[in-house]
Amino acid sequence: MEKIKVVLDWFPNTNHTGFLLAQKNGWFEQAGLDVEIFGQVHGDMELHGADFVLGPEIAMLECMERGIGLTAVATLTQKCDSGIVSLKEAGITSPKKLEGKRLTHWTPAWFHAAISRVVEKDGGDYSKVKLVNMDVGDIVATLGNVADATWVYENWENQVLLEAGKEINYFNLGDVDPIFDFCAPAMAASHEILRERPDVVRTFLAILDRGYIQAAREPEESVLAVKDLMPEGSSDSLLIRSQKHLSTILLDENGHWGHIRPERWDRMADFLVEKGIISRRRENEYTNEYLPG
């Protein structure tokens, strides 16, 4: 059996249903792979000794800047499903209206470069945003208490808030500025596994393609099949609504998962160079070479 270690970008949720279906149905094992899925990387991304790590393109490029040997090999969705969520009572209907409000943030400089751009593009002043440094675990307890707004993935935190009976405002960052339709969440592979076990990488990605095709075509059946691997207490209605939301953006025009469109990657990478977050573009930042087809 070929051993593979995968670090997720957060706890297992509907973004990861393709992985969980493959694990639950024994597809990895049938292909000779012993896959261990672990970790909760959150805002700060490292390989942690793994072969694959999930996270946003921005964090991957920052890792490359620090000399960590990795290359993006897949994107989980064909549209970046992230943006700013707040309770409706806060009145945050656009980036400019973050002025005077409490926004949670992560430590890396890329966070501020990104959010300041969308605030300023909307005519706002980022220096007027009240920043709260925290990694949000419980979105329901956070909004309206310690913070007013948070950068989230629509598929999960928005659904949790709606399930809790909250009225929310949300705007997708990519709808404000195309730069923010970047590859997130995405998956990177270590240079070691790409160099030494390329066939294993291809096999692994082919199985994930199978898993995500099923999740896209049969969202309700798929997510309920792996419900026991999702966060404890997640209701069927939350999971189904979340997976149906994702089902429309998991696959490309050819009906496959994972393809990284150059314009999505390059716009953000060039922006990070412009802002001095990374010093330069690098070879092999991403590749579609290992994906099926």
Side-chain angles (χ1 to χ4, degrees):
M1 298 287 281
E2 290 278 358
K3 291 186 177 294
I4 292 177
K5 289 187 176 183
V6 183
V7 181
L8 299 181
D9 53 321
W10 206 24
F11 55 74
N13 63 72
T14 50
N15 270 331
H16 312 120
T17 297
F19 289 82
L20 303 180
L21 283 170
Q23 188 178 47
K24 186 78 177 279
N25 293 328
W27 298 340
F28 292 136
E29 189 175 0
Q30 292 163 19
L33 304 182
D34 179 6
V35 179
E36 180 185 3
I37 300 174
F38 68 103
Q40 297 183 19
V41 177
H42 297 281
D44 295 314
M45 199 184 81
E46 296 281 357
L47 269 169
H48 298 287
D51 302 295
F52 296 91
V53 62
L54 275 62
E57 170 192 343
I58 302 174
M60 291 176 181
L61 288 164
E62 190 182 53
C63 284
M64 296 172 200
E65 179 78 8
R66 300 200 308 270
I68 298 172
L70 53 79
T71 293
V73 292
T75 184
L76 271 63
T77 56
Q78 290 298 307
K79 177 183 178 181
C80 187
D81 193 42
S82 73
I84 303 297
V85 70
S86 59
L87 297 182
K88 196 164 188 176
E89 63 201 44
I92 305 171
T93 55
S94 72
K96 175 178 171 55
K97 293 190 176 180
L98 286 167
E99 290 182 349
K101 304 296 185 181
R102 299 166 297 171
L103 174 69
T104 68
H105 75 96
W106 302 304
T107 302
W110 58 257
F111 179 97
H112 305 289
I115 300 300
S116 63
R117 178 181 173 100
V118 292
V119 170
E120 290 158 10
K121 188 177 179 68
D122 195 39
D125 182 346
Y126 185 61
S127 69
K128 295 180 180 178
V129 178
K130 299 176 181 178
L131 297 171
V132 180
N133 189 356
M134 67 178 294
D135 223 345
V136 178
D138 186 340
I139 190 70
V140 176
T142 298
L143 292 186
N145 294 311
V146 294
D148 301 303
T150 301
W151 189 354
V152 299
Y153 283 121
E154 183 177 353
N155 76 293
W156 194 256
E157 286 97 335
N158 283 20
Q159 311 310 322
V160 169
L161 286 163
L162 292 172
E163 193 72 10
K166 304 294 184 181
E167 292 188 334
I168 64 173
N169 283 322
Y170 171 82
F171 51 86
N172 182 291
L173 293 178
D175 293 339
V176 177
D177 187 331
I179 282 178
F180 296 98
D181 183 22
F182 60 103
C183 296
M187 182 170 69
S190 72
H191 287 171
E192 182 178 3
I193 195 171
L194 293 177
R195 180 178 62 249
E196 298 179 2
R197 298 189 288 165
D199 290 342
V200 169
V201 177
R202 290 188 175 92
T203 298
F204 181 56
L205 294 183
I207 294 169
L208 292 178
D209 184 49
R210 176 184 176 184
Y212 278 102
I213 288 173
Q214 180 170 319
R217 293 178 178 172
E218 303 174 357
E220 181 171 344
E221 297 86 344
S222 296
V223 76
L224 292 181
V226 296
K227 178 183 176 181
D228 59 317
L229 302 177
M230 297 285 185
E232 186 177 350
S234 300
S235 68
D236 288 2
S237 59
L238 185 156
L239 295 175
I240 292 167
R241 189 171 61 246
S242 175
Q243 202 69 61
K244 284 183 175 180
H245 164 76
L246 284 172
S247 66
T248 61
I249 58 174
L250 288 174
L251 308 181
D252 63 19
E253 63 274 13
N254 298 313
H256 285 281
W257 168 85
H259 181 74
I260 297 172
R261 297 200 312 274
E263 64 272 19
R264 288 187 69 200
W265 185 276
D266 291 341
R267 282 188 301 239
M268 176 55 74
D270 290 342
F271 168 70
L272 294 179
V273 173
E274 175 192 331
K275 291 297 183 180
I277 305 300
I278 59 174
S279 60
R280 60 183 174 84
R281 297 293 305 276
R282 290 167 169 78
E283 292 184 8
N284 303 319
E285 290 174 353
Y286 70 94
T287 181
N288 291 307
E289 175 186 349
Y290 301 91
L291 292 166

